[in-house]
Amino acid sequence: MNERNDNLVPRGSSAGSSPLVCPKCGAPVAAAGTEAPLKCGRCGTPLSAGSPRAATSPIAAASEDRGEIILAIDRLSVLARNKPLISDVSLHIPVGKVTAIIGPSGCGKTTLLRSMNRMVELHHLQVKGTVRYLGQDIYGAQVNPVLVRRRIGMVFQRPTVFPTSVFENVAFGLRLDGESEDTVEKAVVSSLRRTGLWDEVKEALDRPALTLSGGQQQRLCIARALAVSPRVLLMDEPTSSLDPVATQRVEDLIFELKSDYTVVIVTHNMQQAARVADLTAFMYQGRLVEFDTTKRVFEQPKEKLTENYITGRFG
Amino acid sequence: MGAWLGSPVALIPLLILGAVVAVLLIASGLKDFGLTFWGFQYRFVPGEPDASSWGIGVFLVGTFLTASLSLVLATALSLALAISSVVYLPPLPGRLLSMVTNLLAGIPSVVYGIWGFVVLAPYFGLTLEPSLRDVLGWLPGFGGPASDIGPWGTLLAVFVLTIMIIPLTTALMREALRSVPRDLVEAGLAVGATRWEVVRRVRLPVARNGLWSAVLLGFGRALGESVAVAMVIGGTSIALPPNLYASTTTVASFIFSQLDSALIYPNLFVLLVEFSLVLLVVAVVVNLVAQRFTRVELATATTLGGGE
Amino acid sequence: MKVTTGLGDELTHTSGRMRRRILFDRVIGWVLLLAFAAVFFPLFDLIGWVASYALPTMSWATLTQNQVGTGGGLYAMIWGTLVLITLGTGIAGALGISAGFYTAEFAPPAVKRIARLAGNVLAGIPAIVLGYFGYYALVLYTHWGFTTLAGGIILGVFMLPYIFRTTDIALSNVPPSQREASLALGSSRLQYLRRVAFPIAFPTIFTGVFFAMALGLGEAAPLVYTAGWSSTPVQSLMQPTSFLTGGIWAFYDFPRSFGSFLALAFQAAFLLIVIVLAINIVVQVLSDRYRRRLAGLYE
Ligand SMILES: Nc1ncnc2c1ncn2[C@@H]1O[C@H](COP(=O)(O)OP(=O)(O)O)[C@@H](O)[C@H]1O
Ligand SMILES: [Mg+2]
């Protein structure tokens, strides 16, 4: 289906030592040639070999080796007028898995998710620390957010269909690329198939998308995101506005998407996290408290806070 | 406190509106709105009511011509201003520029008028009009001689009107673009569209009704502007303008400039009542249509931003 | 644990079309900015020219003397303008604020809708139509002739919708939580209005009144057919009066050989600009605050 995933793991991508970080803005700096003097790619500060190295905080990775990391978040803080919304979060998201972010309302789940494809910038929030996609700092000076969002797609809390036809909704991203009508059609059909929506809407491709049911609209939004072949799909409480049946279908879909995409899903519904996620991160008051396999987070949490939350003592 | 007790107070604006319509209707006597009235003949013989007859045709053409041309310019500029401040500029400069744009709304129309009459007119006559004639002379309206009375005419009126309605249309368009659900804008960006692509494919289509309202209300404003237009349009000849450089007249500016004569000639007084009534009806219709599809706040557009 | 590195150019290495799209987006952002010329040019050119015509001939006497022949000052016009705007603001303020209060707080939904629509339609009525209406109703029909009172009334009608709409919006936007808290404590509707709603809404209502005043100060159309003209300062409301906008209209097109008339017109224009812009700057700053308070979801 998505052939690009085959060569996801680049040659020679062994772990190596952690990269240098810029002392001024916290951006990682790839140690290119040893001869050239190093400069920070984001703010241009010159660096020496003695510059600090990126610290990987202990809970960045799940306790077991979960394979290749596609999104590496290190020491990330997001601030609104100097007030931190999330502080010092490190989280390494492995490829081809579903990672859930749970936590009480207002703890910063959405903010963390939106910092993974630079959507936070739309709210003029300040970002410190790094988010690396396949090793590349997505906040780097050379990187345009448009490209980030092509690779790292997003689905929102409520369905966000455009007031056009079903077909044009899915075709939205492809049209921007100026793809031929043929390519667009193929991609639309395959995205709709992928989301299981094809059989339901194949007679109604020209209907206004707003006439679909809520659950169908949400899956349409997923199809729209998939149509531009991202590698990562971020979902912010994608079922919170849906009824149980529609929720079930979306969860099934998420489970299937794992084979081709990496999914990060925010949910305040713990059962949902337990049902769909391989890994679960628990956040509390802007901090990442615990990150591990879903099973372990739910059955043998290391932190008291996590346990209290899981057992419903608050939140 | 009964709700119905307060209703007459809440309806003061409606009562005033009704009074204006009723009084003008009564004053006009409604007898003169025959075919001649809508025609293009204009023969006004002072002091000889029987020999006089008038049609509003020339005035309406002048009104719609100046209003539409200035609206075309103002729409393009306002759209650019609104998109710029809502989409592209960072919050602080965006807000400051919006405030500066709104300031223009407060400059008195007589001041625009005297600026147009004294400052802009020579520039139009000596520089702008000759070069327009050279470059665009082949286009209908842009060729032909300058007018005898000087540079005061249609083009100058269009220019001044454009500047005068920009604050209103910009404020309303800004509000229309802002009211596009944030979700949809972000959804567009999340698929990897650029800001411009989201403007083109999401914001403009979704805000369409609001944008049309802005255009219509700008049109209403331009139609009704009397003072500034009276000062710069020439207004000596009651004839269709052969080209953009020629003088013409509009309903509103004609009413405004005829005070002296209205005091003397009873039949001119009737004419002006009728003209006022037509202008009133056009303005009400334009406003009702503009407010039919979206909720726009004409009265607070340049202060509170035109919406609740 | 492995951190994938090395492929790392997916976010920078892109197709030509993608680069063009991104470039176009940037370029158009700058191009659209050019439209601000249409705002800054008139603002600066207009103010600059008016000042350069007005200032050289302006003196204290401009403000304190009456016009004599082609010379003298603007005293009668300034005084007339003051009287007219006071009347207008009084009338529009009293009627507009009460109508806004009733619409926001008491009127049933259907009445609310109609009142709001009517307010906005009234704001869209050309000022000259109001002026001519005043001429018929208050100058001829009443046999008053041109009077300051008629001018003030019509100016009030012209200003009313702005004050009415602002008041209504300001009160309707008082957070429901405030209202409920207050009413739950057993205060009556009127007490709520006086103690809770009005203090919250006041700055906004003030903005509306101020803005309406600036508009009223700058309008000639409602006045030429109602307030008439007089070269001496008005003594009674039943006399005609002169006013600043009328002065500009009266003197703007004298030939240059009557330069002092033109100077008077420009002095009046300069005075108006200074007053009106000062008011508008206050209005803009206040309403910007109001807007941000409304938008301040996170504060
Ligand atoms: N743009 C913003 N500006 C300021 N504060 C914000 C912004 N977005 C969210 N917040 C605040 O940050 C905190 C975390 O919000 P969010 O990430 O949405 O939490 P969650 O998704 O876990 O409910 C909340 O207290 C919220 O009020
Ligand atoms: Mg959230």
Side-chain angles (χ1 to χ4, degrees), chain B residues 110 114 231, chain C residues 67 74 77 81 220 224 228-229 242-254 261-262 264-266 268-269 272:
Chain B
V110 258
I114 195 171
M231 290 164 88
Chain C
Q67 180 208 339
L74 304 168
M77 297 178 217
T81 299
V224 289
W229 189 253
S242 53
F243 42 95
L244 285 167
T245 49
I248 304 174
W249 168 248
F251 303 137
Y252 82 102
D253 61 348
F254 275 87
F261 270 135
L262 201 60
L264 274 182
F266 271 108
L272 270 179

Side-chain angles (χ1 to χ4, degrees), chain A residues 80 83 85 104-112 123 125 237 266, chain C residues 298:
Chain A
K83 187 187 99 195
L85 307 182
S105 157
C107 70
K109 306 181 293 292
T110 299
T111 308
L112 176 60
H123 297 230
L125 303 177
E237 307 198 16
V266 163
Chain C
Y298 297 110

Side-chain angles (χ1 to χ4, degrees), chain A residues 78-81 83-86 101-114 120 122-125 157 236-237 266 268 283 286, chain B residues 182, chain C residues 297-299:
Chain A
V78 177
L79 305 100
R81 287 197 217 98
K83 187 187 99 195
L85 307 182
I86 59 176
I101 304 174
I102 61 169
S105 157
C107 70
K109 306 181 293 292
T110 299
T111 308
L112 176 60
L113 194 76
R114 292 168 65 93
V120 276
L122 305 177
H123 297 230
H124 308 282
L125 303 177
Q157 209 159 337
D236 191 356
E237 307 198 16
V266 163
H268 61 230
M283 288 188 75
Chain B
R182 192 173 202 148
Chain C
L297 303 172
Y298 297 110
E299 275 144 334

Side-chain angles (χ1 to χ4, degrees), chain C residues 24 43 110 117 125 143-144 168 173 186 216 232 258:
Chain C
F24 186 77
L43 202 59
L117 185 66
I125 303 295
H143 296 288
W144 290 353
D168 177 20
N173 280 328
T232 52
F258 291 81

